[in-house]
Structures are given as structure tokens and as C-alpha cells.
Amino acid sequence: MRRDYIDIGYSPKDTDLICEFHIEPSAGVNFEEAATHMAGESSIDSWTEISTLSPELAAKLKPHVFYLDEESQTVRVAYSEDLFELGSVPQVLSAVAGNIFSMKIVDNLRLQDIAFPGSMLREFKGPNFGLPGIRKLVGVYDRPLIGTIVKPKVGLTSEKHAEVAYNSFAGGCDLVKDDENLTDQKFNGFDRRAELTLKIAEKAEVETGEKKMYLCNITAPTCKEMTRRLNVLKDLGASYAMIDIVPVGWTALQTLREEAEDAGLALHAHRCMHSAYTRNPRHGMSMVLVAKLCRLIGLDQLHIGTVVGKMHGEKHEVLSLRDECVLGKVPADETQHVLAQDWGGLKPMFPVASGGLAPTMIPDLYSIFGKDVIMQFGGGIHAHPMGTAAGATACRQALDASLEGVSMQDYAKNHTELEAAIGKWLKK
Ligand code: CAP
Ligand code: MG
């Protein structure tokens, strides 16, 4: 391993890719040594001096550890763009999020963020619809969107699934999605579920006068099958497809981004399994980076957490995720280890808040996120004491109260569905 990767004061080139890492060296390994090995292993080097790495080649491609703070265990590395296959998320991750997590000389290592240079950003299309395109699709511009997840997660027949979706739409949901583990099971096959639920969404549109979006989960064992499912949805007149982004993998997402554009479908990114490597603040990689990669590749909307619901995610972290989804230029945020990112012209993604939410949380959600958020209520709609449709109506009533600046309690005085929701979820 060469010794000249520590290069404090190096000023990254505009074309460099920059990574921030959290590094905890193993016992007996000093911080600079751990940083050197990590920089080498994530770029051009090996565990020992290799004769085949000429000084000229090293000078051209070597990484620069330009920031080193042992107290905060933070390291920043600049990598030449020549080290990467332009437009390939898998290859970037194989380099800067690959072997290094396995190195014995670290006890913990976390890739906090990547700042992509414009020269690499330009290789990605970003969202096809994005937040503005989704608003145009749904025809709603001035409020959060309300969605639900058909519950129970799995087990219903396709007919029953469609019935629950209908009640959710009729009650006021703009969006109804499949749960993350519902794909193509014997009791609820993909093709039949898509056909029945899309047909009933159309019925609800006619009856309510509102657009109704069904997000059918196309997660499948092969890209070929996911593409087939995407085209089944297209032929049925769907506007969306949903994907479990972590189980399917980055190459599948880049493939489906192309296929979805050809099919004219928006992509909903469910992030189940992300916590396997984002949750531990000392090891793995951040959800901010997952969100950045999703926007680069071009998913249209992404789960980012709720602050007030059942999943972990502090307010500052969730808002950093929201900013990464939405802003054109994301400022550096040292406290959240977010590197500054200029998104160029890539469209914003629609942030999705979901997980453990009840209609009575809408005032808090609205004050946290404002109008540019999709609020999803699974149990919070299907556990409503008056049933699914009333649960959806209670959400719209709670949202109307927030939009009008009226307290939920006052608004509930002449809105029975909201009053029942308050009785169930607020009065403990
Ligand atoms: C929510 C949900 C979503 C979570 C995912 C669930 O249902 O369907 O998958 O929101 O979490 O299965 O838990 P509930 P995140 O509304 O009944 O909780 O959005 O944090 O990725
Ligand atoms: Mg779910």
C-alpha cells in the first residue's frame, strides 16, 4: 500500500467525486493508517506494495485524503472521475462502498455521503416525472397528497384487495399502493390484482371527480419479469409502478428507469431493507446517500420517514432527506454529514412520509413538511373505527383543517370521521 494518499489541503478538482467516511480504526491501527488503507482499497491499491502500480499511473489515479479529523472520526476523499464508469451506480458503489467495509483494520466504517461532480451527474437522467410531474399527473398542486397501503400487507385475494383499494379511493385517498411484500403470490397474483384494482380506480375517479393512482408493486425475480409487469400496467392504463429498491438492486433500478420512461409510468420507491445498512450511525452507508442515488437514477417519489411515526429517523435526518429529494442545490450540513450537491437540472423527487401514521398526526406532519409531501396511512386508515373509507375521509378532513388553519378538534365538531379518529388515536 502506498503511503502518499494523505494529502491534507488538496483542493478537489471540479471533476472529482468526493466521499465522506466515518472511520473507526481497529485496535493498534492509527487513524491515518486506516484512512490510507481505506482510500487505497477503494481505488487503485492493494494491501501491500504492488510492482505493477507504476508511479505515473499512481500519480494519475491516486485518491486524495484531503480532510482528516480524528476527533470526529471523519475523513473526506477526492477520487478522480477516471476511476469510475460514467452513469453506473453499481460500479461507483463497488469502488467506494465495496471491499472497504470488510477491512480488518477498521472496526466500523460508514460512507456518509458522496458529492457527484457535474461531469458525472450529467450521465444520469434523474426523475422522468418527479415532484412537478406527479402533481400534474394527479392534478393536485396546493396540498400534500394522501395515500394508503392496502392492509393486511399480504393475504387478501385480488378481489378483496381491489375492494379495499376502492374504499380507500372513495373515502378520499389520492394514491393506493401495494405493501412491500406483496408481489405475485398464489392468493393475489400480479396480473389479476393489477387488472381489478386499476379498473376500480377508474370507477372511483368517475364517482369522485378526482384522479386516483394505484401503485402496483412490480418487484420480481428478474428484470425481464419486472419489465413485463411494467408493460402489463401500461397496457391497463396505469400511471405508476412501485419498486422495492433495495431488494431489487441498483442495476435493476437503472434498467427500470429506462423501461418506465418508455412505458410512460412514474416510479414509486419503497425503501424496505435500507435499515440493514443505513440505521447504524457507525457502520454502513447513509439513507441520505440512498436518496441521492435514487434521484440520480430517476425514481419519482421516495419514502423518507415521518419523524412522528413508527420508524426511526430524527427530524434533522428526515429533513436532510427531504432536502436531498427536493432542492436544486443542497448545502453542506456538517451535523448530518451531508456534502454540498448541485443537482444541475435533475428534477426533484416527491418525498413520502409513511409508517405508523394516524390521521390525527396530520397537523404535525403538515407543520414539519409543508405541502410537498405524500402522506401515507396504512393502519391509520384501515383501523379507523368506522372502516377504511371513513379512515381516508378523516385524513382529508384533518388535512383540510390544517390547510384552513383550523384546529383539528374544532374541525371535528362537524366532521364525524375525524371526530372518530380523534376518539381512537388522541384520547388516551
Ligand atoms: C406503512 C408500511 C410502509 C412503511 C415503510 C409498513 O404501514 O406499509 O411499508 O411506511 O417504512 O408496512 O409499515 P403503516 P418507511 O402505515 O400501517 O405503518 O416509510 O420508513 O420506509
Ligand atoms: Mg409496508
Side-chain angles (χ1 to χ4, degrees), residues 149 151 153 179-180 270-271 303 310-311 354-356 378-379:
I149 309 99
K151 300 285 178 180
K153 287 174 172 279
D179 227 324
E180 66 278 357
H270 195 291
R271 62 174 184 168
H303 288 231
K310 73 185 182 187
M311 303 292 193
S354 176

Side-chain angles (χ1 to χ4, degrees), residues 47-93:
W47 57 278
T48 180
E49 293 282 348
I50 45 178
S51 60
T52 47
L53 177 56
S54 69
E56 297 73 25
L57 188 56
K60 182 169 177 285
L61 292 178
K62 75 175 185 176
H64 300 269
V65 180
F66 66 95
Y67 178 89
L68 204 69
D69 178 10
E70 187 163 1
E71 194 186 338
S72 67
Q73 299 179 310
T74 303
V75 165
R76 289 188 196 129
V77 185
Y79 297 88
S80 159
E81 69 170 342
D82 292 342
L83 287 165
F84 304 103
E85 177 186 350
L86 295 181
S88 172
V89 166
Q91 188 274 337
V92 170
L93 293 178

Side-chain angles (χ1 to χ4, degrees), residues 16-29:
D16 282 346
L17 179 141
I18 297 170
C19 290
E20 178 173 307
F21 295 95
H22 166 87
I23 299 187
E24 295 179 22
S26 302
V29 177

